[in-house]
Amino acid sequence: MECDRCGGDAVMHAAYSGAHLCERHFRESVEKRVRRRIRRDDLVPGDASPEDPETWVIGLSGGKDSVVLTQILHDTFAEDPRIELVGLTIHEGIEGYRDESVAACLELADDLGIRHELASYEEEFGIRMDDVVEDDPENMAACAYCGVFRRDLLSRYAAELEADLLLTGHNLDDEAQTALMNFLEGDLGQIAKHFDASLGPLSERNEQDEFVPRAKPLRDVPEKEVALYAHLADLPAHITECPHASEAYRGEIQQLLYDLEENHPGTRHSILSGYEELAAMVADQYGDDGDESRELRECAECGATTTREICRKCSLLESLEAV
Ligand code: SF4
């Protein structure tokens, strides 16, 4: 196969676009999609200046997605004094898994010369995911606990670091899966929340001042292309899967999307673009209605911003202490 652009040896074929690309043109096309998404989501404010630079905190897990995102953001903004990047890694306490990915994060941050922060469930909450899985007081999947604790730490550290933006490495497959899951669950409130929390141009979201805005600039790039980019760029990504990975429903949706994409290339792109348009309308409607269930208050235990009297993280920690 030859590259459509230069006739060199193609390293990939994208069925959804028909493109065959060599290593150089493939890497350029990934970088271009990330930069286009940054522009479309208005992530760099017009008044950003070298005197008062924006702090962008990247959730850096050491997996291929966050490593590729960090590398491309660094290549894009290394010479731009308006943007400062900080890598933030969360250690969940998973034996034989997280230590290696933390090492990948440290190596990357060191290579790129960016600031890096490490937070752990053990230091912050006195728990390790390995023990949470053993105890399981709520009879839930590991990821249901882990996601709550991770979101809490990412938000808290982003606020402490005075971040203007919290960026995560969700790719096209992740976002198309979440879109389909939210749609199939029929929960419009969740769809509105998803849009306001992390999708679309910053100026069009009904964001709450209490939260650092989120962004997912890798969401136009399919998972396999992110993996290929990490491999070709020889990035220190950690690729072992977490031993507690347990989102069974997401696994079913993932398989469904693989099959659809195989038979109808472009399905993930059309799901996500249609979903974003729909989610923007739903978010607008919910924002205008001032839905009381989304009203924010301070958690009575930890003071975090929540819609409940005691936030989900504190109630999970209470259940774990009671075991
Ligand atoms: Fe946590 Fe689940 Fe991710 Fe493992 S797969 S790190 S348990 S969210």
Side-chain angles (χ1 to χ4, degrees):
M1 279 189 308
E2 288 182 356
C3 173
D4 300 335
R5 300 196 189 157
C6 69
D9 287 343
V11 294
M12 62 85 72
H13 168 236
Y16 60 84
S17 65
H20 295 85
L21 296 174
C22 67
E23 175 173 346
R24 177 165 80 90
H25 286 113
F26 164 68
R27 284 172 62 173
E28 279 177 10
S29 98
V30 171
E31 291 153 9
K32 205 167 141 189
R33 277 174 275 169
V34 172
R35 289 171 190 148
R36 186 181 60 201
R37 181 48 75 186
I38 290 171
R39 276 197 309 280
R40 289 191 175 164
D41 285 354
D42 290 335
L43 299 186
V44 182
D47 58 0
S49 73
E51 292 73 38
D52 184 20
E54 299 278 297
T55 301
W56 286 12
V57 172
I58 308 164
L60 179 56
S61 69
K64 63 183 185 328
D65 303 302
S66 62
V67 163
V68 167
L69 176 64
T70 304
Q71 178 72 50
I72 295 177
L73 290 176
H74 172 266
D75 293 345
T76 307
F77 294 108
E79 305 294 323
D80 188 338
R82 298 172 305 161
I83 307 291
E84 276 179 9
L85 302 177
V86 181
L88 170 59
T89 303
I90 310 288
H91 196 311
E92 300 92 347
I94 300 170
E95 192 72 38
Y97 168 67
R98 193 47 90 199
D99 289 338
E100 287 172 46
S101 55
V102 168
C105 297
L106 292 171
E107 185 185 337
L108 184 72
D110 193 47
D111 283 352
L112 302 181
I114 63 171
R115 182 173 166 194
H116 181 253
E117 299 286 333
L118 178 63
S120 74
Y121 290 1
E122 187 152 35
E123 273 185 24
E124 299 289 338
F125 308 130
I127 56 160
R128 294 175 54 82
M129 270 312 292
D130 287 341
D131 301 328
V132 171
V133 173
E134 281 277 296
D135 297 340
D136 189 15
E138 303 265 334
N139 196 20
M140 297 193 308
C143 302
Y145 293 96
C146 196
V148 171
F149 297 135
R150 181 184 298 109
R151 273 193 298 279
D152 180 85
L153 275 192
L154 283 175
S155 303
R156 186 140 51 87
Y157 269 71
E160 281 171 21
L161 291 162
E162 298 186 0
D164 296 288
L165 209 53
L166 174 58
L167 303 105
T168 53
H170 292 83
N171 60 48
L172 176 65
D173 293 62
D174 297 328
E175 288 300 290
Q177 287 159 19
T178 302
L180 201 53
M181 284 163 74
N182 285 344
F183 185 70
L184 292 177
E185 280 161 16
D187 184 346
L188 292 185
Q190 186 58 32
I191 293 174
K193 214 160 118 186
H194 188 202
F195 180 84
D196 285 341
S198 60
L199 302 176
L202 282 181
S203 54
E204 290 177 17
R205 302 187 200 165
N206 300 308
E207 284 186 325
Q208 311 277 358
D209 291 342
E210 292 80 356
F211 296 109
V212 174
R214 295 191 172 216
K216 298 170 177 170
L218 207 56
R219 73 180 188 278
D220 296 316
V221 186
E223 180 169 18
K224 278 190 182 154
E225 293 183 37
V226 178
L228 181 61
Y229 187 100
H231 171 69
L232 294 172
D234 199 21
L235 297 178
H238 176 74
I239 45 170
T240 312
E241 199 183 343
C242 168
H244 305 312
S246 55
E247 275 198 282
Y249 186 43
R250 184 173 286 272
E252 276 181 54
I253 297 290
Q254 183 184 39
Q255 192 53 54
L256 181 69
L257 280 175
Y258 282 153
D259 294 344
L260 282 170
E261 188 70 33
E262 176 93 12
N263 297 328
H264 312 279
T267 298
R268 291 163 303 181
H269 289 84
S270 50
I271 287 176
L272 193 58
S273 68
Y275 174 82
E276 283 194 26
E277 235 177 279
L278 177 79
M281 288 186 229
V282 176
D284 225 26
Q285 175 80 28
Y286 268 70
D288 289 348
D289 285 357
D291 178 9
E292 283 182 16
S293 66
R294 300 177 77 208
E295 251 172 47
L296 299 175
R297 59 177 102 174
E298 281 187 8
C299 167
E301 296 285 333
C302 72
T305 306
T306 176
T307 51
R308 311 156 185 244
E309 190 181 339
I310 293 182
C311 73
R312 184 75 177 130
K313 177 231 8 181
C314 284
S315 61
L316 287 183
L317 287 175
E318 271 175 25
S319 306
L320 286 162
E321 272 165 26
V323 175

